[in-house]
Amino acid sequence: MSEIDDEFADEGQAVYEDLLARTGEQAPRPRLEPTRRVLDLLGDPQRAFPIIQLTGTNGKTSTSRLIEGILRAYGLRTGLFTSPHLVSFNERIVIDGEPISNEALARNWEDIRTYVEMVDLELENAGDVPLTFFEVLTVLAYASFADAPIDVGVIEVGMGGEWDSTNVADAQIAVFTPIDLDHVARLGSTIAEIARTKAGIIKPAATVVTAAQHPDAMAEIVKAAERDEAPVIAQDVDFALTADHVAVGGQVISVRGRAGEYNDLFLPLYGDHQGQNAAVAIAAVETFLGDGSQPLSTEPLVEGLSEITTPGRLQLVGIEPTVLIDAAHNPHGARSLAAALGKYFDFAETVFVVGVLGDKDAEGILSVLAPIAARIHVTEPSSERSIPAASLARRAAAVADPGLIHAYDTVEDAVFAAREWANDGPSRLVVVTGSVVLAGEVIELAEAGEWKKS
């Protein structure tokens, strides 16, 4: 944050606190009309720029960042909307590669606040609940992007797709990352049900770009696309990751795009899944810039990929000992994490620091990690939805050797003990995972303790 923007830090925090007073984003309302009503009163700012919208179970934020970074390298002024944040609320609304300033956040909030309160009153008079945290945040993001202004918005859904408040906009390109089981209480208990809800982001005249999917998910995406006469651009059919090799600081990938071959591209991210995400991002950018008919020029693509960062995704936050943060919060994400650790890192033993929120499949996550763990430190992130450490320890012992499990009431204690254990032996790694909330807390601990300088 700049020194000038420090003057507005209190105002930025006040905006966040105003939104926090509303129904939280983990209890979304399956509705679009209230968000649409506010935006209508504001003159429909979401129609001021073209939109690439993303949904899926895992990889949404990474793929969103990849698309945004590549588009920015081609000279476009971008808006990026992702959730949740790791450390700062401003991370959710990014303009031209930088989190929105506190000054702009506060100014845009004042511009929309009266209209938000008008719709709150309408809802209350109708016997409905006021606009939720995420509904207001969506309005704030679209208004901020129109105010900037931007050339293109890259919008990640909050949950699902069909009734997610971001879906009030009509995206020109609907991007699907891999779909698996998550949020089953709200989205459905099968992959097909979840995919059906997510496919709601497909609109008439849109183009669909999708990662390789489970057959049940692909069937739902194709059905929705056919209904809206939207062409489907599918991974491993219309484009593909053709090669990926471990490299210092990441990997080198080659991609067969819709319109061109892109070979030996450095991607500063770890994990085969990130190579797959990059292939999807390249196909989406090809589709946006030239409807897939023209290959991308090499220099901006190389630049865009080389500058990508994905905070909280296999992020190195400490050395001596090495500490990695990965916000995997479901079994699918845990499997990607485990595969990446085996391929991209060479450590003899690993201690996992794990904290999980109550609506997640804790046993599923832990059963993936247990076979590669020397120790598992379970703890409780600072969220009212967190599974208590003692309860998580009992659940961990049901799927892993109880001798691996060590419970800590605080995140700081769990991480301190993990780092101490790692320093006591050769070739030991600390991995923090299980929750975005936990990832954010440990990033702050690392910055405060200057772990990379230790």
Side-chain angles (χ1 to χ4, degrees), residues 319-384:
I319 58 174
E320 297 180 1
T322 299
V323 181
L324 295 173
I325 304 287
D326 193 87
H329 54 271
N330 54 46
H332 186 277
R335 288 192 292 272
S336 294
L337 167 61
L341 292 176
K343 180 173 179 178
Y344 290 83
F345 300 92
D346 185 21
F347 288 89
E349 296 180 292
T350 301
V351 53
F352 290 96
V353 178
V354 182
V356 185
L357 302 188
D359 60 342
K360 300 300 180 181
D361 181 3
E363 287 86 351
I365 295 168
L366 289 160
S367 64
V368 173
L369 301 179
I372 59 173
R375 292 169 66 94
I376 298 175
H377 291 194
V378 296
T379 189
E380 186 175 344
S382 299
S383 168
E384 61 184 16

Side-chain angles (χ1 to χ4, degrees), residues 207-349:
T207 299
V208 174
V209 176
T210 179
Q213 300 286 356
H214 185 283
D216 292 349
M218 183 60 80
E220 294 296 334
I221 293 170
V222 169
K223 186 187 301 181
E226 289 176 345
R227 179 194 64 217
D228 287 317
E229 299 182 348
V232 176
I233 311 303
Q235 189 171 20
D236 297 333
V237 177
D238 303 290
F239 66 94
L241 178 70
T242 56
D244 65 323
H245 306 285
V246 176
V248 176
Q251 56 190 298
V252 174
I253 65 171
S254 294
V255 174
R256 171 176 59 81
R258 293 187 64 191
E261 296 279 347
Y262 311 102
N263 296 315
D264 299 326
L265 303 169
F266 177 66
L267 181 66
L269 306 176
Y270 300 107
D272 291 356
H273 60 293
Q274 295 291 18
Q276 301 290 351
N277 290 340
V280 173
I282 288 170
V285 172
E286 283 183 315
T287 302
F288 181 78
L289 293 180
D291 196 26
S293 61
Q294 297 292 326
L296 300 175
S297 50
T298 303
E299 188 174 337
L301 178 60
V302 169
E303 177 188 341
L305 289 177
S306 67
E307 296 182 359
I308 291 296
T309 61
T310 55
R313 276 73 181 176
L314 278 169
Q315 179 183 357
L316 176 67
V317 298
I319 58 174
E320 297 180 1
T322 299
V323 181
L324 295 173
I325 304 287
D326 193 87
H329 54 271
N330 54 46
H332 186 277
R335 288 192 292 272
S336 294
L337 167 61
L341 292 176
K343 180 173 179 178
Y344 290 83
F345 300 92
D346 185 21
F347 288 89
E349 296 180 292

Side-chain angles (χ1 to χ4, degrees), residues 396-446:
V399 297
D401 178 355
L404 295 177
I405 313 303
H406 304 267
Y408 297 86
D409 291 332
T410 71
V411 171
E412 188 169 5
D413 286 348
V415 174
F416 177 84
R419 295 182 75 228
E420 190 173 56
W421 173 84
N423 274 328
D424 281 344
S427 191
R428 288 178 170 179
L429 170 67
V430 179
V431 178
V432 179
T433 190
S435 162
V436 174
V437 178
L438 177 64
E441 287 186 55
V442 178
I443 287 171
E444 290 188 289
L445 285 174

Side-chain angles (χ1 to χ4, degrees), residues 6-224:
D6 281 345
E7 301 175 16
F8 298 92
D10 290 344
E11 287 87 342
Q13 181 63 26
V15 174
Y16 185 38
E17 291 174 359
D18 281 348
L19 269 63
L20 282 178
R22 297 173 174 273
T23 299
E25 58 192 317
Q26 292 303 318
R29 304 289 292 181
R31 62 187 188 182
L32 293 178
E33 285 309 313
T35 307
R36 189 174 284 126
R37 170 68 173 147
V38 183
L39 290 168
D40 179 61
L41 292 171
L42 290 169
D44 286 326
Q46 79 280 11
R47 300 186 186 279
F49 45 87
I51 287 175
I52 300 171
Q53 188 175 22
L54 294 92
T55 190
T57 302
N58 288 299
K60 294 190 300 295
T61 301
S62 294
T63 306
S64 296
R65 289 179 176 276
L66 284 157
I67 292 171
E68 185 274 336
I70 296 170
L71 288 172
R72 187 156 35 86
Y74 280 91
L76 297 177
R77 185 169 170 81
T78 57
L80 174 65
F81 182 53
T82 61
S83 62
H85 62 275
L86 284 167
V87 177
S88 169
F89 175 67
N90 304 53
E91 297 168 20
R92 295 172 180 243
I93 301 174
V94 174
I95 297 172
D96 216 19
E98 295 293 333
I100 189 170
S101 69
N102 286 311
E103 184 276 330
L105 189 67
R107 172 166 44 80
N108 283 301
W109 173 232
E110 285 306 309
D111 287 344
I112 72 171
R113 186 172 192 164
T114 298
Y115 301 98
V116 168
E117 291 170 349
M118 287 173 57
V119 175
D120 281 342
L121 184 59
E122 292 174 1
L123 289 166
E124 290 173 355
N125 289 339
D128 205 347
V129 300
L131 289 153
T132 67
F133 174 98
F134 195 74
E135 287 171 332
V136 175
L137 177 60
T138 299
V139 173
L140 180 58
Y142 284 143
S144 298
F145 291 154
D147 177 70
I150 62 170
D151 298 318
V152 55
V154 181
I155 309 296
E156 176 190 343
V157 304
M159 184 183 296
E162 180 181 12
W163 42 258
D164 185 80
S165 59
T166 62
N167 204 34
V168 295
D170 293 332
Q172 284 80 351
I173 301 174
V175 178
F176 293 84
T177 62
I179 295 172
D180 209 303
L181 297 175
D182 199 12
H183 298 296
V184 293
R186 294 189 175 274
L187 302 182
S189 59
T190 68
I191 288 176
E193 290 176 322
I194 293 170
R196 194 174 306 135
T197 300
K198 292 180 183 293
I201 70 169
I202 300 172
K203 306 292 177 58
T207 299
V208 174
V209 176
T210 179
Q213 300 286 356
H214 185 283
D216 292 349
M218 183 60 80
E220 294 296 334
I221 293 170
V222 169
K223 186 187 301 181

